């Protein structure tokens, strides 16, 4: 039987399939983000409970913390890096969907209305809810930022305890811990913005719309 499918119909079928694939990718990234965040928080909670039990035996507390705190910090760092990668994958899928919607708008007046920019998400619509308070707040309220801050507290605790162990007074040790958290957050924020700007440049180069990030 001869194939009666026109190139136009075949293209629309392919675009609809790709649209579904990109939306599935977005759902997968959100699911993975939630899973990785949960793993870290559960690990941290378990470590805190274990610390409470070990604290009853002071001779075991120090070696326990020496083993647990660096491990938690490494787990948190790996989690944060992966969360940023996941966010980039999510943005890439949104760029793909925006390009497909841009083609849908060329199918006629009804399609132009149904798939208009105003009804789209980033990078089509500059009124993305997460951006209404500005890019700064948007970056400070991500899942990656949340884990990075908690991980910074873990690092601060380790640095503070180490400073006290080598003979530092309490106030300088606390200041050193606070400085550690601040430095790590600044480094993380810079890296997250760097990765986000890379995806924004991709959206501007290959996407149909401009971005405000």
């Amino acid at each position: 039987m001869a194939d009666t499918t026109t190139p136009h119909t075949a293209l629309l079928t392919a675009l609809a399939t790709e649209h579904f694939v990109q939306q599935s990718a977005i759902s997968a990234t959100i699911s993975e983000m939630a899973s990785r965040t949960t793993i870290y928080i559960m690990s941290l909670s378990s470590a805190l409970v274990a610390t409470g039990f070990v604290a009853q035996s002071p001779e075991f507390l120090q070696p326990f913390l020496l083993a647990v705190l660096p491990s938690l910090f490494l787990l948190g760092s790996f989690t944060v890096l992966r969360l940023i990668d996941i966010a980039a994958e999510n943005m890439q899928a949104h760029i793909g969907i925006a390009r497909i919607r841009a083609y849908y708008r060329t199918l006629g007046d009804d399609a132009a209305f149904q798939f208009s920019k105003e009804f789209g998400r980033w990078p089509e619509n500059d009124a993305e809810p997460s951006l209404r308070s500005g890019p700064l707040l948007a970056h400070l309220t991500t899942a990656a930022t949340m884990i990075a801050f908690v991980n910074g507290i873990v690092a601060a605790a380790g640095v503070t305890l180490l400073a006290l162990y080598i003979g530092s007074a309490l106030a300088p040790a606390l200041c050193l811990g606070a400085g550690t958290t601040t430095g790590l957050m600044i480094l993380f924020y810079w890296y997250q913005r760097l990765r986000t700007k890379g995806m924004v440049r991709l959206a501007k180069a290959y996407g149909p719309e401009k971005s405000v990030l």
Side-chain angles (χ1 to χ4, degrees), residues 15-196:
L15 287 175
T17 302
E18 180 63 15
H19 195 155
F20 175 78
V21 169
Q22 296 291 355
Q23 187 59 54
S24 298
I26 291 173
S27 299
T29 58
I30 295 174
S31 178
E32 183 180 357
M33 187 175 297
S35 298
R36 290 183 177 272
T37 301
T38 301
I39 290 173
Y40 176 75
I41 295 301
M42 290 297 295
S43 299
L44 178 61
S45 300
S46 300
L48 291 175
V49 172
T51 301
F53 285 109
V54 176
Q56 300 175 16
S57 302
E59 66 274 15
F60 297 113
L61 180 60
Q62 180 180 331
F64 178 80
L65 292 177
L66 287 175
V68 169
L69 289 181
S71 300
L72 284 174
F73 177 74
L74 286 176
L75 176 62
S77 299
F78 296 151
T79 301
V80 167
L81 292 177
R82 181 55 188 156
L83 287 176
I84 295 176
D85 290 339
I86 294 172
E89 293 172 8
N90 187 288
M91 295 174 69
Q92 188 173 18
H94 278 294
I95 293 172
I97 289 177
R99 295 180 64 209
I100 294 172
R101 286 173 54 87
Y103 180 81
Y104 288 163
R105 286 195 290 272
T106 66
L107 300 179
D109 293 338
D110 290 340
F113 172 76
Q114 294 296 333
F115 297 101
S116 64
K117 296 183 297 181
E118 291 73 18
F119 293 107
R121 298 193 63 189
W122 183 91
E124 291 183 292
N125 190 350
D126 289 346
E128 174 72 20
S130 62
L131 299 177
R132 288 179 180 175
S133 298
L136 175 62
L137 189 59
H139 283 85
L140 290 178
T141 54
T142 63
T145 302
M146 177 186 70
I147 298 300
F149 180 74
V150 174
N151 201 46
I153 298 298
V154 172
V159 170
T160 301
L161 291 174
L162 180 61
L164 292 174
Y165 176 75
I166 62 177
S168 174
L170 179 59
L174 291 175
C175 291
L176 187 60
T180 299
T181 300
T182 302
L184 288 173
M185 287 303 299
I186 292 174
L187 182 63
F188 158 76
Y189 184 81
W190 172 82
Y191 178 70
Q192 183 177 227
R193 285 300 300 267
L194 183 66
R195 289 298 304 276
T196 301

